Amino acid sequence: MDLFSKITNDRWTCGLTDGACQTAGIDSLVEDPAHGAVAQFFGVVRNHNDGLIATAVDYDVHPGLATKALAQLCSDICTGYPVRLVIIHSRGLVRVGEASVVIAASSAHRKDALGAVSDAIDQLKIRVPIWKKELGLSEEPRWLDGHSLREDKK
Amino acid sequence: MITVSVQCLGVFRELGDYFDVDVESRSVLAIRNAVSARLQKLNRPDLEAVLRRSIFAEGDEFLRDHIVIESSTVSLLPPVAGG
């Protein structure tokens, strides 16, 4: 997958890609012969939200801040769990059925990989400067509300 | 007066990719107040409400309101909604 912004080290990789994320082969990025578990999460654009039909989501990103926040998130997750981790998020248009975020973690035993992936998506949603504009069939595109970073940093 | 360029992200893109505000100091609070005044002038109470929950950034650093910026460009970041 082509990443226009990426930070990596020996435990984790994070990055941003234009358009939909590729899901095939994401597990290969966390391969480790000492690890017996691989957990993956794909965030996929669905065809409805708040009772309205959705056809796509257009993701807006602050590349510098988002990559930095993803890197800090990976570092935090890898401090809490003995895992190898990858997180990739989309920028731009992602259509229904396509993935906008992919996360994979591997660990020696399943609980750590599953916990790491679950925490990673929960934290991504409230920490990373990314915004989504939902596109429908007939309504005006609408920006979705989210989590205030200002209130976090007071 | 100093002119500061504000980069719009998320819902603020409805105002364009950038707009300028004139401020008497480079403090983030002064910039926030100038943006608020601009939104009032545009009759956008919806965006004023979002502004109250938004944070500014300079380059790759988040800015609290008491900070004084060094450059003349800031980014305006509404509440985040990735995933």
Side-chain angles (χ1 to χ4, degrees):
Chain A
M1 183 170 1
D2 289 333
L3 303 179
F4 67 83
S5 180
K6 173 182 174 181
I7 300 178
T8 190
N9 70 14
D10 59 341
R11 292 276 306 279
W12 50 260
T13 297
C14 65
L16 301 166
T17 190
D18 276 321
C21 293
Q22 293 174 21
T23 54
I26 192 76
D27 54 325
S28 67
L29 299 175
V30 294
E31 266 181 3
D32 188 318
H35 287 178
V38 177
Q40 297 181 104
F41 172 81
F42 303 151
V44 176
V45 173
R46 63 175 179 264
N47 67 359
H48 64 95
N49 191 36
D50 290 341
L52 299 172
I53 293 172
T55 56
V57 173
D58 193 1
Y59 287 89
D60 192 16
V61 173
H62 187 298
L65 281 168
T67 307
K68 191 174 169 181
L70 283 172
Q72 186 61 55
L73 174 57
C74 285
S75 176
D76 291 349
I77 295 291
C78 288
T79 298
Y81 295 95
V83 295
R84 290 173 61 88
L85 178 68
V86 60
I87 304 177
I88 298 168
H89 201 291
S90 294
R91 176 178 73 175
L93 199 67
V94 182
R95 293 180 173 80
V96 167
E98 295 179 329
S100 59
V101 57
V102 294
I103 301 173
S106 70
S107 58
H109 304 285
R110 69 181 183 279
K111 280 188 178 174
D112 288 321
L114 290 166
V117 167
S118 179
D119 285 1
I121 186 62
D122 286 349
Q123 290 291 312
L124 181 149
K125 285 175 170 286
I126 61 174
R127 289 172 56 174
V128 183
I130 296 174
W131 302 272
K132 47 188 163 192
K133 184 167 65 174
E134 195 171 78
L135 311 178
L137 285 177
S138 54
E139 305 83 8
E140 286 291 306
R142 58 183 192 136
W143 291 96
L144 302 185
D145 192 21
H147 182 85
S148 170
L149 296 178
R150 185 187 188 206
E151 288 160 9
D152 285 350
K153 295 179 186 302
K154 270 183 180 171
Chain B
M1 296 289 268
I2 305 155
T3 299
V4 173
S5 182
V6 179
Q7 181 192 18
C8 300
L9 290 152
V11 68
F12 291 110
R13 294 234 189 234
E14 291 180 2
L15 305 174
D17 290 338
Y18 287 87
F19 62 82
D20 290 341
V21 291
D22 293 324
V23 289
E24 290 186 2
S25 80
R26 291 181 199 269
S27 79
V28 174
L29 184 58
I31 297 167
R32 182 181 293 279
N33 290 338
V35 172
S36 179
R38 180 185 178 90
L39 295 175
Q40 284 175 29
K41 204 170 178 181
L42 292 171
N43 193 26
R44 292 296 304 263
D46 55 331
L47 292 184
E48 272 193 86
V50 178
L51 176 64
R52 287 192 283 275
R53 299 173 58 226
S54 299
I55 192 166
F56 288 87
E58 182 181 30
D60 293 349
E61 298 293 332
F62 294 112
L63 301 169
R64 291 186 174 88
D65 281 3
H66 67 276
I67 297 290
V68 175
I69 64 168
E70 293 176 2
S71 70
S72 296
T73 303
V74 293
S75 302
L76 176 52
L77 286 69
V80 300

